Amino acid sequence: MDYSPESRPVLVAVANPQHAEQLVRTASDLARLLESHVTIVSVAVKPSSSPFSVYKDETIVERFAQDTQELLDAAIAVAPEDVPIEREIVVGRTIADGVLKAIRRTNARALVIGWHDSRSRTDAILGTNLDQLIENAQCDLYVERIGYEANGVDSILVPVAGGPHVRPATLVAKAIAARNDATVHFLSVVEPDVDVDAARDHLEAGVQLLEDAPDSPFGPDIRVETAVRTGEDVPVTIAELAPDHDVIVFGVTRQGSIQRRLVGSIPQRVIPRIDETVILARSGAVVSPSRLEKFRGFWRRG
């Protein structure tokens, strides 16, 4: 593995030691496949209105981040031994601000972060910090639902319908399959009046992306199966098939409104119906500076 200072790490943001193992495991799977390393990041929040705002970031890390240090120690303790691990405390006005700083500083290849499927704000899709990261993180982003861990992984389901996020979804599916000797199932669901040729094209594209991804460090090729299913309601059909698998990986977005761009209408309807491990994948390629500025301009005009 490339552990040189020039290598681009897989970041994993942790905020609770109880969830660290789940997230570090996924980040390590990705790093293993990418021949990279993992940087575990925790954020010391310094709101602008806080008395701590008078201190330099270095002082906050040295004098007031003992709890954060202990959190990182706990995350390191559950990390696999075959993947190089770094740790870092960053100071930010919010958690999202701190994580974005870490992404820029390390030129990260990917970020893994957890998500609870409860919403504290009606105008936030996955939560304010996650929404900001989905919108702004200029690297591949993986959002894993916390608290729904598979007891062993034999089968990974990847629903596909084209778009830029199939690539990172396929990458993490291959990374998890490689560690567990599991099968990756590509699924395309079409409504009854839709031509299935497009669905087959999506499946073929998914398989090709998996084959183009780096080879598994464990040697054997990844087993792949494909299927087209017809259903009046696509999310309901996916939810009905989900219990046959251990992990479900979604690309996060479809075309449409701003909310769909951030998360995707199908994952939003499927996830509340299932109990399996869920990972949302969003490509870093869609968050170029020019696209971000365009998005902000649209938002201001709105």
Side-chain angles (χ1 to χ4, degrees), residues 42-263:
S42 190
V43 178
V45 177
K46 183 180 73 171
S48 56
S49 59
S50 165
F52 286 98
S53 63
V54 301
Y55 291 103
K56 294 181 178 179
D57 292 355
E58 295 80 3
T59 303
I60 291 176
V61 171
E62 291 175 1
R63 296 176 56 185
F64 303 109
Q66 184 58 37
D67 291 346
T68 308
Q69 291 283 7
E70 293 174 356
L71 170 63
L72 290 178
D73 290 343
I76 292 285
V78 298
E81 296 181 353
D82 65 323
V83 177
I85 305 288
E86 289 182 322
R87 70 175 77 187
E88 180 173 0
I89 298 175
V90 292
V91 178
R93 291 168 297 172
T94 65
I95 291 174
D97 176 57
V99 173
L100 290 170
K101 283 183 180 177
I103 291 171
R104 290 192 293 268
R105 193 193 65 75
T106 63
N107 191 22
R109 298 186 68 162
L111 168 68
V112 177
I113 194 164
W115 157 62
H116 290 278
D117 58 351
S118 61
R119 302 175 188 175
S120 58
R121 289 181 50 180
T122 56
D123 59 343
I125 301 168
L126 295 179
T128 302
N129 282 294
L130 272 178
D131 289 356
Q132 292 180 17
L133 291 172
I134 289 172
E135 181 185 347
N136 298 314
Q138 294 188 37
C139 64
D140 288 349
L141 173 63
Y142 297 94
V143 182
E144 183 163 350
R145 183 165 65 166
I146 291 298
Y148 294 81
E149 291 188 74
N151 184 21
V153 179
D154 296 320
S155 180
I156 301 163
L157 180 66
V158 185
V160 292
H165 309 289
V166 177
R167 179 193 55 78
T170 299
L171 187 67
V172 74
K174 184 172 186 177
I176 296 172
R179 173 172 54 87
N180 294 279
D181 191 22
T183 301
V184 176
H185 295 259
F186 287 102
L187 170 70
S188 188
V189 180
V190 296
E191 295 172 347
D193 58 347
V194 175
D195 186 352
V196 298
D197 288 344
R200 294 194 181 99
D201 290 343
H202 294 323
L203 294 175
E204 291 177 3
V207 172
Q208 187 62 54
L209 286 168
L210 187 140
E211 292 176 350
D212 291 344
D215 292 334
S216 163
F218 298 104
D221 293 336
I222 303 298
R223 295 186 301 277
V224 176
E225 295 188 7
T226 63
V228 176
R229 293 287 185 271
T230 301
E232 296 282 353
D233 190 316
V234 173
V236 170
T237 302
I238 295 173
E240 290 174 346
L241 296 170
D244 295 332
H245 307 274
D246 303 298
V247 178
I248 319 298
V249 183
F250 289 101
V252 297
T253 192
R254 296 290 303 274
Q255 294 180 350
S257 69
I258 291 174
Q259 287 194 350
R260 287 177 181 169
R261 287 178 57 188
L262 289 175
V263 178

